[in-house]
Amino acid sequence: MMLIKRYIPLAIVFVFGIMTLATYYIPPKLAQDYYLETMNKWINIVAAFAFLLALLSLFYSHYNKIKRKVDGWGYSIFVYIGFLVVVVCAIKSEGQLMTGPALTSLGWIFRFLYNTLSASMFAVLAYYIVSTAFRSFRIKTLQAFVLFMAALFFIIGKVPLGNVLWNKLFFWTNVSISQVTDWIINVPSVAAKRGIMIGIAVGAIVTSLKIIFGIERQYMGKD
Amino acid sequence: MSETWLIIGGWVAAGLTIFIFSFLYKDNPFFKIAEHLYLGAGMGWWFQVMFYNIWKPKVWEPVKILVNGLQIIQSYHIWKPEFWKAVWTAGDWTIFIPTLLGLSLITQFFQKISWVSRYGFTFIMGYGAGLVIPVSVSTDFMTQILGTIKPLFKVGTEMSWASFFYTFNTFLIAFGLVCVLIYFFFSAEQKGLVKKASNIGIYFLMLYFGAAFGNTVMGRFSLLYGRFDDLYKYSSVKYFYAAQIIAAALAVYFILNHFISAKKSRAAQDNSGS
Amino acid sequence: MLEKFLKIDRRIIFLLLTLVLFIPIVKPLNLPIGAVSVDTKKQATAIVRHCFKKDLRVGVITFIAGATGLIEEIFEKVPQEYRKEYGKDYVIFPYQADYSAVLTQMGFDLYQIYDKDKFGTHPKNLPVMQGIKSYKDMGMGICITGTALLDGWVAFAGDKFKFPLGGGVTAVSQPGYGPYLQTGQLVGLLGGMKGGAEYESLLGIPGKGTSGIDALNLGHFMVVILILISNIIIIVTRYF
């Protein structure tokens, strides 16, 4: 059992890892014909099934809430209602949002239900940005002051009123606010982001090597 | 879609938007309904996208072709080579490999056979890890370092403010990167020069985070503005004042709820007092 | 006394923000106007318009399931403005799940993944796809996204196959793309709404986003003022 439960999966990750890695360094034509083309097609299909994991675990947790009648279990029914409404409309419209110039039922659901809900959910965050800015943006250190100044340039640089104000107050510097924000993006930001990128790249390379060699296998779950 | 459906849509959109915003006042059943509906509708949307874009054309249809193709074999005897040739050429049998690997992921939910999902996961992880290594080395490591190591002076340019500024910026990027890397990689012990450099690194990071924060404000506001704009549209006579009526109804709910819960808590206090 | 002000109910701030953004919609204040457009959808619209204006062929792919609706909304309107036809001037491909696999495959032979377009026809039969098999047959790729997908494009398509890339990203991630721009791994970038609007005005296409500007003007200043007020209160209570 150990063989099919553990060793073969570890062999799979090793073999596919090394082979995929190798394709980067051998002539593309060769890699493409014998390996990559098939793999790319397969991976794309397997990845689509991974979505079922998210779907089933959501269904399962809300099914449990309803079954156990935990506080607020009635709301869980709306998860199923939302799902069914979209799927039924999709089947009716065969996955199309429009037929010619007319909205299908799926198109209606997208515009008035799904899009409205997701836009509203994210829009609410604007309120929290503002209240957090008031309650916890404390300029206590020089570092916090630098962060505030950078943010300030971008906030006022983004709106016309800010540009007008800047030109009135700082016309004598001969520098426009967009030159300042451009400089921040093109010079100090490049240094900072590049440092982060190199850090992440090193981390990704190490983790990937650990996965290929079977050292990191948390994703496999417990035995 | 008829005009009536568009008006109903206006009511639905206005209602859901107001329900979600009502959370800003306080948590309430209407927000919870909208929130759960969002969760379900989102999953439903993803499901239909997966179904119509991948599962149906890339899995179901090849399998259907295969099944149809297999109908010929009835005319051959099982011991004849023609039979096996017909089986082989009926369609694309390899489609079952990714399908089974994909379906294996679902065994995660059943403890006894959850090990089957390892076949799917190891396949994805092996391919992904193999793909990521060379790409990280080249895109985010080598190219970034090469982009930093640049000549400080442009050849053939005269001394001017512009060329001085170029030299200054090129130097600053390289200097800043070194400081940021020192901040990241020498996190254990920092003394003397290393500490100074890593402190300077923090300032570069702060400028970057400040820029990102300043930019976020803009993005969030325009999204919020978009919602308000829609609400304003639905508050017109064309939509029979959908936004106002729903907002007013919700306000009435909050007022009633306030008095009822105040009464309840008073009653509870009386009970515990006596 | 002043410290109490710092602990005010956050709902008062919420109400303030609502008023600041809502009042200008109902009653425009005519503050200075500049073009501000809405989001990445605007960027995508502007870029599609530009391509059609220059009579370029356009192929659309996506790796975000939530974006399929937006794509349809854009292509329901824009092609008509330039009298462009589906199949002849542009094509929309179905959503795919794994971007790294698909972007790698498109460097060799995209028909292995995209064997059908959105309507189920084989794309090889469409006039718009004549002579196109992989990245080297295309002029450039532009990735417009609210996620980190652009990084994937740079790594798997741009760098590996020497495919010129442009991007359109949300404002928050815009400052993070300085490194790719400096090395030329990206040839251009639109950042947030302002990017979309600037691009539109460069093309001479009138954007309709100008109406929101009053609200955004005030909202932005409100954030700055709130940060300043809270910090001034702290300084005052500490030193006076």
Side-chain angles (χ1 to χ4, degrees), chain B residues 109-166:
Chain B
F109 292 105
F110 310 98
Q111 201 138 53
K112 275 206 174 139
I113 50 163
S114 71
W115 58 269
V116 178
S117 69
R118 288 179 184 175
Y119 282 78
F121 280 122
T122 48
F123 182 64
I124 296 179
M125 293 303 251
Y127 176 87
L131 211 56
V132 158
I133 293 172
V135 150
S136 297
V137 171
S138 125
T139 305
D140 288 347
F141 193 81
M142 296 297 275
T143 316
Q144 296 313 319
I145 289 173
L146 288 177
T148 311
I149 310 170
K150 290 207 300 190
L152 283 177
F153 301 96
K154 271 187 192 158
V155 181
T157 47
E158 281 172 39
M159 280 302 282
S160 68
W161 270 112
S163 72
F164 167 75
F165 208 56
Y166 172 84

Side-chain angles (χ1 to χ4, degrees), chain C residues 120-200:
Chain C
T121 10
H122 198 294
K124 255 187 189 162
N125 302 333
L126 296 173
V128 63
M129 294 301 287
Q130 288 320 301
I132 289 175
K133 192 181 168 198
S134 68
Y135 293 130
K136 54 177 197 303
D137 311 312
M138 305 176 202
M140 80 178 289
I142 298 170
C143 167
I144 295 159
T145 180
T147 67
L149 251 183
L150 182 56
D151 299 45
W153 273 87
V154 171
F156 294 110
D159 273 18
K160 193 168 171 189
F161 297 101
K162 305 283 163 271
F163 183 47
L165 277 183
V169 294
T170 51
V172 60
S173 43
Q174 184 202 3
Y177 285 101
Y180 287 147
L181 284 168
Q182 195 227 3
T183 51
Q185 286 163 296
L186 278 178
V187 294
L189 184 76
L190 298 176
M193 10 288 126
K194 209 167 178 240
E198 282 164 356
Y199 190 75
E200 277 189 338

Side-chain angles (χ1 to χ4, degrees), chain A residues 90 93-100 102 104 106-107, chain B residues 45 48-49 51-54 56-58 61, chain C residues 58-62 64-65 67-76 79 86-87 90-96 110-111 113-124 126 128-129:
Chain A
S93 333
E94 289 183 341
Q96 304 293 335
L97 270 74
M98 311 285 296
T99 43
T104 64
L106 184 66
Chain B
W45 180 265
Q48 66 90 11
V49 169
F51 180 80
Y52 283 106
N53 293 283
I54 301 180
K56 186 169 170 258
K58 288 193 184 294
E61 279 166 16
Chain C
V58 178
V60 186
I61 63 175
T62 182
I64 308 281
T68 50
L70 295 176
I71 292 172
E72 289 211 29
E73 285 188 344
I74 292 169
F75 281 90
E76 155 203 336
Y86 184 85
Y90 70 100
V91 55
I92 300 174
F93 291 108
Y95 159 87
Q96 298 299 331
L110 67 96
Y111 298 107
I113 292 283
Y114 293 110
D115 52 353
K116 293 184 179 92
D117 75 349
K118 204 172 81 69
F119 301 102
T121 10
H122 198 294
K124 255 187 189 162
L126 296 173
V128 63
M129 294 301 287

Side-chain angles (χ1 to χ4, degrees), chain A residues 45-62 80 83 218-221, chain B residues 43 46-47 50 55 99-111 113-122 124-125, chain C residues 97:
Chain A
I45 292 172
V46 178
F49 281 100
F51 161 73
L52 284 178
L53 282 182
L55 183 71
L56 290 177
S57 81
L58 182 82
F59 277 2
Y60 184 67
S61 81
H62 284 279
Y80 294 98
F83 180 82
Q218 266 198 313
Y219 66 90
M220 284 172 65
Chain B
M43 280 293 167
W46 277 68
F47 183 84
M50 294 287 169
W55 295 333
T99 308
L100 290 176
L101 284 172
L103 288 172
S104 82
L105 299 177
I106 298 165
T107 61
Q108 268 257 310
F109 292 105
F110 310 98
Q111 201 138 53
I113 50 163
S114 71
W115 58 269
V116 178
S117 69
R118 288 179 184 175
Y119 282 78
F121 280 122
T122 48
I124 296 179
M125 293 303 251

Side-chain angles (χ1 to χ4, degrees), chain A residues 206-221:
Chain A
V206 172
T207 316
S208 299
L209 284 172
K210 276 182 169 173
I211 288 173
I212 291 178
F213 289 103
I215 301 164
E216 160 67 56
R217 46 187 173 198
Q218 266 198 313
Y219 66 90
M220 284 172 65

